[in-house]
Amino acid sequence: MRYDVDAIRADFPIFETGIVYLDSANTSQRPRQVLEAMDEYYTKFNSNIHRGAYRFSEIATEHYESTRAKAKRFLNARSTREIVYTRGTTEGINLVAYGWGRKHLTAGDLIVLTILEHHSNIVPWQILAAEKGARLEWVDIDEQGRLRQDQFAALLEQSPKLVSFGQISNAMGTINPYAEMTAAAKAAGAMVLIDGAQGAPHAGIDVQAVGCDFYAFSGHKMLGPTGAGILYGRREVLEEMDPFLAGGDMIRTVRKEGTIYAEVPTKFEAGTMPIAQVIGLGAAFDYLEGLGMSSVRAHELEMTEYALEALSEVPDLTVYGPPASERGGVVSFDVKGIHAHDLATILDRHQVAIRAGHHCAQPLMDRLDVSATARASFYVYTKREEIDVMIEGIRDAQRIFA
Amino acid sequence: MRYDVDAIRADFPIFETGIVYLDSANTSQRPRQVLEAMDEYYTKFNSNIHRGAYRFSEIATEHYESTRAKAKRFLNARSTREIVYTRGTTEGINLVAYGWGRKHLTAGDLIVLTILEHHSNIVPWQILAAEKGARLEWVDIDEQGRLRQDQFAALLEQSPKLVSFGQISNAMGTINPYAEMTAAAKAAGAMVLIDGAQGAPHAGIDVQAVGCDFYAFSGHKMLGPTGAGILYGRREVLEEMDPFLAGGDMIRTVRKEGTIYAEVPTKFEAGTMPIAQVIGLGAAFDYLEGLGMSSVRAHELEMTEYALEALSEVPDLTVYGPPASERGGVVSFDVKGIHAHDLATILDRHQVAIRAGHHCAQPLMDRLDVSATARASFYVYTKREEIDVMIEGIRDAQRIFA
Amino acid sequence: MAVQGGRPSGGSAEHGRTGGTPPSEQDEQFYREYILDHYKNPRNFGRLEAPTLSHEEDNPLCGDVVGIDLKVSDGQIEDVRFHGRGCAISQASASLLTERIKGQSLDDARKISKEDVFEDLGIAISPARVKCALLSLKVLKVGAWGLGDWSGEEEE
Amino acid sequence: MAVQGGRPSGGSAEHGRTGGTPPSEQDEQFYREYILDHYKNPRNFGRLEAPTLSHEEDNPLCGDVVGIDLKVSDGQIEDVRFHGRGCAISQASASLLTERIKGQSLDDARKISKEDVFEDLGIAISPARVKCALLSLKVLKVGAWGLGDWSGEEEE
Ligand SMILES: Cc1ncc(COP(=O)(O)O)c(C=O)c1O
Ligand SMILES: Cc1ncc(COP(=O)(O)O)c(C=O)c1O
């Protein structure tokens, strides 16, 4: 089946505004199917879940829980009990830091991160390490933005308690060898968390085949609404973790004298959850499943190749990171003499939305010795012509700043 | 201006389904204004906030931040810096338990709760108390479901570190004398958290006049979407708290060696927030402001009086809690010989949605020595006729179970 | 979540009163005579003197409690009693279950499925009431045969 | 959030190219000649030998850095230098600010407002760029007069 990008774009009302949206690694656009799923909840059976003793609540609960089954299938998890709803990647990683980390880490323990990480996969571990007296070590990159596997192997010899790294870098686009890294880390006895914020939308994962213990990602980067994400956790690991947020619904019984928690995943879902957003996320899974994740990846690869080719023809322009085949739909670059922010402002005048800044990856910026880069990122709806408009805008900026 | 409930109902698409929705204390319905505000974001300027360097992101940021100004006005807070976005009441209370409680509580410290509390205002403190070796004490109720102020006063003499209680009980409807209680607790040197989950939608609050340190509530109970809520915190208190969730956006700078946090409230808002939902919540504030909170309260009082009157004519029916003037729009009751769940099922057949169960207030159920009650709750769109339909359904249930 | 029983479920939010049947008749159908009878006059209600096996469980969400005492000899359930409190569905289902297993062999009782319980009840059980309907079966499975955390719910 | 500068903002998501002006001309207007000139040829750039006051701040979001050295005597700013790196807006605004305060009394410099800075820049500053435009003023206010955490942003 041909990948029909125009047909796909017709599902996204936002494109009627004329925007050239090249910031999907930040947050994606959402198709009307996702918006309709939420509106259906709000207008047809709006009610709270689990607790109700009436029909609306039952329908809402079914819709809400059906997303768990979709997530299970998307990830190839063993059980829906391994699917915990969160607000997004950041909450998922924090949940692990609090519920698993606070319980299991002690002074002197080693946590291995990489220099490619997003702040959300750094700061929770810094706080945890400071609290417990644990150590953090960082895997560096080579000149093409690839993780230094020799260094990683050396760190594994120190028997880290936890290894946490991104499947795909949001700042450089690097696709890490996550399956191999997980296998090596598991063999070294470490717990493995994969930050799937960029991986889930653009590549997907088979958590059983990869064998990671945790996989955190955000719905809003994969066509879903803001406000809902997923933490996958291996059932045995989830079961022996402490709860994180406490309150209504995550309990079995509450007595003045003490509380018995519910079973996983309910134990981690306290209070009224983002019901409509979880339902919207379900529609996003459906949409991506309809396209097929391999088609999504193929389309992005095509866009990335096209963009890298086009950018290579612009003078005084540096691209960071590996070749297209080793990268997600993300291109970070720098134009000589034009600060990324100025570039973004000028592109904005051409209706082109890119991101400029540190991409929540300051340690990586320090490593590259830049304070900011410009970043264009692509998704299911990106067209060649949009990349052309961006290139035109870059050349315009060069004329202005000449 | 007359309170025109039919005009209000016309704003709520859900009523086209014919439902008699008497479960608003659980979650409210949402007017189309709220849904439209979110759809506008999704279809006209969908993008991430703060980080973007283009027009959409600026518009989204403005909309997102404007809710903070609305919340400030709704609560009469001193500054928008005192408004922290959360997922809801539960997350707000947990944020305080982690960010303030973990830092300031030590062994032997006293936390005062009440027997009326929702699990979300119990379990976080149980966990904290267990971790720190702190004590929990509970204020009991009298026979009409009012908090025993004599007992509260006695507990204050023990100089509690924290007093945390609900403005209005979700299970019994009791409106607590929260201003007096806060003043007394502050005079005794305690920190005061008010659980405003039921108070904010149905009564509102003036946090400066009341003088509480924290006020947590949920958007979804006050016409807003699921997934967004607010924690008010006094600025000085917020400023010296530890952060809670860590990650993107809540930082100023991240270095491998350590991280500097952003100022409040950003310090507490990690990762991509529920942008669309916060915008929707802003529209909910607008809607309630349009009605006026005193009109909302007056309408609910009318409905509650009407319901109490009508229920008093049903034989073998016990109502829990205080008279209408001292209660929010919540009526909990019990029909002899019919379990609340059976009653709810039969009412459901009459298209009437009520809640049956422990209402996430098991300690209160234990205190009342019941395992479950039936609960009807009212809001801005409730009509007398709906209460009539419920009464008819109750009588039908009595016929069936006779 | 698996939806049990005959009441159809799914994406539609149709909630109207169907056809010409007034609600009351529907409800009487729903809470069939004999279910109400089992609720009001539970069979095998009480405790056994010296039970071979005894177990109790609750459904914390609505406070239903069911406990079952069994007297077993030679692999046969010679006597059974249940106690508890809660909604009509949970108590009637317990009463019906005791009728089913009394005199049965343990082996046969072991094979009782959720579907059997729904069939005994003979009415459509909506998702919210599934836990009520299956509480007594859970007591039997977990208590009498130590089946761990059998929760009465299918996983997908 | 207060919206600074002339670019209108609000609920509308209009984003179209207005009128007949092609984008390039608009941009040239936006990044006016003299702003680009101040960016490429910053005035008073460098450091002072023995400054009376010296302070540096960064804008962590985009990495802009501005530092200002002042030589003050008898309440007059006798000399000033700035250093830093970053976008055109932040660097031009710093350069313009040094021109404004050089030779001024401290008292007068103390009164410089955000509006003055926007006026010196003479272009519409979009919300995302406000922090860039005001970084140098912040350096002056916080560093030279110890105004605590003046953030360059209004609170509502
Ligand atoms: C009094 C009270 N506190 C806390 C909560 C918890 O609110 P949420 O579930 O929105 O976090 C509720 C609502 O369920 C409530 O009624
Ligand atoms: C690699 C990576 N990790 C984590 C995050 C944080 O995700 P969220 O902001 O949705 O919590 C992001 C996105 O910003 C990301 O790209």
Side-chain angles (χ1 to χ4, degrees), chain A residues 25-26 87-91 93 117-118 120-121 166 168-170 195 197-198 218 220-221 355 360 375, chain B residues 48 51 248-249 270-273:
Chain A
N26 194 347
R87 179 158 72 218
T89 311
T90 303
E91 192 188 8
I93 296 174
E117 297 320 307
H118 186 279
S120 291
N121 196 23
I168 300 180
S169 156
N170 69 305
D195 172 351
Q198 298 297 330
S218 306
H220 72 92
K221 291 185 198 281
R355 187 165 171 200
C360 295
R375 183 190 71 183
Chain B
N48 215 323
R51 311 174 189 167
D249 284 329
T272 301
M273 294 293 289

Side-chain angles (χ1 to χ4, degrees), chain C residues 22-90:
Chain C
S24 180
E25 270 181 50
Q26 277 186 43
D27 292 329
E28 260 158 303
Q29 254 175 289
F30 179 60
Y31 284 91
R32 289 198 181 180
E33 283 296 301
Y34 73 90
I35 291 198
L36 290 170
D37 179 41
H38 273 271
Y39 175 54
K40 291 180 208 158
N41 311 298
R43 322 298 198 266
N44 304 306
F45 193 80
R47 311 284 317 226
L48 287 180
E49 278 285 301
T52 325
L53 291 162
S54 178
H55 187 65
E56 183 184 297
E57 291 264 343
D58 66 343
N59 175 350
L61 204 65
C62 49
D64 293 346
V65 179
V66 167
I68 297 182
D69 295 347
L70 292 182
K71 178 140 209 116
V72 183
S73 100
D74 268 349
Q76 294 290 121
I77 298 173
E78 294 204 331
D79 207 356
V80 55
R81 291 280 185 290
F82 88 96
H83 59 278
R85 62 199 163 92
C87 64
I89 308 278
S90 71

Side-chain angles (χ1 to χ4, degrees), chain A residues 51 271-272, chain B residues 25 88-90 118 120 168 170 195 197-198 218 220-221:
Chain A
R51 309 175 189 166
T272 300
Chain B
T89 312
T90 304
H118 186 280
S120 291
I168 301 180
N170 69 305
D195 172 348
Q198 297 298 330
S218 307
H220 72 92
K221 292 185 198 281

Side-chain angles (χ1 to χ4, degrees), chain A residues 67-258:
Chain A
T67 298
R68 230 185 278 278
K70 291 171 188 176
K72 170 187 176 259
R73 197 166 54 228
F74 185 82
L75 300 171
N76 191 30
R78 262 159 305 251
S79 156
T80 51
R81 290 195 181 266
E82 300 185 308
I83 307 298
V84 181
Y85 294 139
T86 63
R87 179 158 72 218
T89 311
T90 303
E91 192 188 8
I93 296 174
N94 278 273
L95 195 164
V96 175
Y98 277 103
W100 181 86
R102 294 273 177 304
K103 187 166 178 182
H104 292 287
L105 250 76
T106 50
D109 281 346
L110 175 63
I111 300 172
V112 172
L113 305 176
T114 92
I115 198 74
L116 289 175
E117 297 320 307
H118 186 279
H119 294 163
S120 291
N121 196 23
I122 295 176
V123 189
W125 310 120
Q126 287 181 326
I127 293 177
L128 178 63
E131 193 179 313
K132 296 290 183 180
R135 287 185 303 135
L136 292 181
E137 293 286 353
W138 307 72
V139 182
D140 198 11
I141 46 171
D142 67 18
E143 289 314 302
Q144 293 230 285
R146 296 188 192 95
L147 289 177
R148 293 227 349 236
Q149 295 300 326
D150 56 332
Q151 231 185 32
F152 183 56
L155 284 169
L156 289 185
E157 299 204 340
Q158 298 180 38
S159 302
K161 267 273 174 67
L162 174 75
V163 171
S164 190
F165 64 93
Q167 187 178 0
I168 300 180
S169 156
N170 69 305
M172 288 263 251
T174 319
I175 302 177
N176 294 315
Y178 54 94
E180 295 79 355
M181 288 173 70
T182 302
K186 290 309 296 175
M191 290 294 278
V192 176
L193 185 154
I194 298 181
D195 172 351
Q198 298 297 330
H202 303 286
I205 195 170
D206 178 334
V207 290
Q208 288 194 64
V210 170
C212 53
D213 298 288
F214 299 108
Y215 186 77
F217 60 104
S218 306
H220 72 92
K221 291 185 198 281
M222 52 189 296
L223 310 182
T226 58
I230 280 170
L231 174 69
Y232 158 84
R234 253 197 322 121
R235 180 161 178 182
E236 310 84 81
V237 181
L238 288 181
E239 273 173 354
E240 59 83 58
M241 273 165 65
D242 284 338
F244 172 44
L245 295 180
D249 283 330
M250 52 71 79
I251 53 86
R252 183 178 149 80
T253 40
V254 175
R255 300 270 173 270
K256 278 162 75 175
E257 299 68 35

Side-chain angles (χ1 to χ4, degrees), chain C residues 99-144:
Chain C
E99 287 203 321
R100 183 185 261 271
I101 63 175
K102 195 165 175 175
Q104 246 187 358
S105 73
L106 261 186
D107 275 351
D108 283 345
R110 225 180 275 261
K111 290 179 200 139
I112 298 171
S113 67
K114 292 181 288 183
E115 287 65 36
D116 294 329
V117 171
F118 294 132
E119 203 173 291
D120 286 351
L121 283 166
I123 58 170
I125 299 293
S126 65
R129 306 304 300 279
V130 164
K131 283 199 175 171
C132 309
L134 294 180
L135 181 58
S136 49
L137 185 62
K138 179 174 183 182
V139 173
L140 203 62
K141 299 253 175 184
V142 179

